[in-house]
Amino acid sequence: MKNHEAHLPIKNWAEQDRPREKMIIKGKNALSDAELLAILINTGTVQKSALDIARDILTQVNQNLHELGNLEVDDIKKVKGMGEAKAITIAAALELGRRRLSHMQAERHLVNSSALAFSILNPFLENETAESFIALFLNKRFELLRIQTIGVGGIDKVTVDIRIIFKHALSFGATSIIVAHNH
């Protein structure tokens, strides 16, 4: 990519260098992590393009997307040029990616061991700071039917109503339930 140091807005770049247009022309796999983030950021500031801000965010997490997924909205907002709306957009996109990964894992496996249940539930629980209670609903062959958050509480407790769990089990046609709680 060409060097765009003179605070030139992305809209003034050559079309093939703009992240959105590059994605249309070359496909999503042709974009770097920073370019994908820049699309989410949408606009830069007077001093920095959206791509520059994206690079700053990635530098904050040592180019590690897993670490980026661990950031809270307030952490993302600490990067110069990131307001609350942009930070929420990035956090939401990362959450969608996490959920997609979890569903992909669930679709490929029977849930017939605690280790497998852990691998499915871990993306939902590993970064939670609040108490969370999640259930896996399985059919009689131990195939995952649904992952459902049953309750989210405060820092030190979550209230769970067993009737809600059974209501979900009946509505999903589940014959087995695995529950998990973080902390």
Side-chain angles (χ1 to χ4, degrees):
M1 173 160 295
K2 295 178 178 81
N3 189 358
H4 299 284
E5 289 297 321
H7 311 303
L8 191 61
I10 290 175
K11 66 182 178 183
N12 296 341
W13 294 3
E15 191 169 312
Q16 69 272 10
D17 288 341
R18 298 181 210 157
R20 283 190 187 93
E21 288 77 359
K22 184 176 178 181
M23 186 171 185
I24 291 168
I25 295 166
K26 296 182 179 179
K28 60 188 174 192
N29 293 331
L31 274 66
S32 68
D33 294 342
E35 289 169 322
L36 291 169
L37 261 178
I39 290 171
L40 294 172
I41 293 169
N42 194 31
T43 59
T45 66
V46 173
Q47 296 84 20
K48 292 184 176 188
S49 70
L51 186 58
D52 293 329
I53 296 168
R55 288 180 182 135
D56 290 347
I57 293 169
L58 289 170
T59 298
Q60 179 180 335
V61 294
N62 297 315
Q63 311 303 316
N64 185 321
L65 293 179
H66 181 72
E67 288 301 314
L68 178 59
N70 291 338
L71 294 180
E72 297 292 332
V73 170
D74 287 338
D75 298 323
I76 299 169
K77 284 172 37 179
K78 291 177 184 174
V79 174
K80 188 171 174 75
M82 289 298 298
E84 186 168 64
K86 291 177 182 181
I88 288 170
T89 298
I90 290 171
L94 291 164
E95 177 63 14
L96 279 172
R98 183 194 61 78
R99 290 181 187 186
R100 179 177 183 257
L101 175 63
S102 177
H103 287 287
M104 287 172 48
Q105 289 175 336
E107 290 169 5
R108 286 185 265 176
H109 302 289
L110 296 176
V111 185
N112 57 6
S113 72
S114 59
L116 189 52
F118 174 80
S119 73
I120 292 168
L121 288 162
N122 190 47
F124 287 92
L125 297 172
E126 72 176 333
N127 298 319
E128 284 297 318
T129 54
E131 294 285 321
S132 297
F133 193 93
I134 296 177
L136 301 179
F137 295 94
L138 313 170
N139 66 17
K140 64 182 176 182
R141 292 183 299 274
F142 300 106
E143 296 168 333
L144 182 65
L145 298 172
R146 186 80 169 255
I147 302 169
Q148 186 72 41
T149 299
I150 303 300
V152 177
I155 294 174
D156 61 356
K157 69 179 177 178
V158 60
T159 303
V160 176
D161 187 338
I162 192 72
R163 294 172 295 183
I164 304 261
I165 297 171
F166 287 126
K167 177 183 171 188
H168 286 305
L170 290 170
S171 70
F172 304 144
T175 56
S176 299
I177 305 167
I178 297 172
V179 295
H181 172 262
N182 63 337
H183 300 154

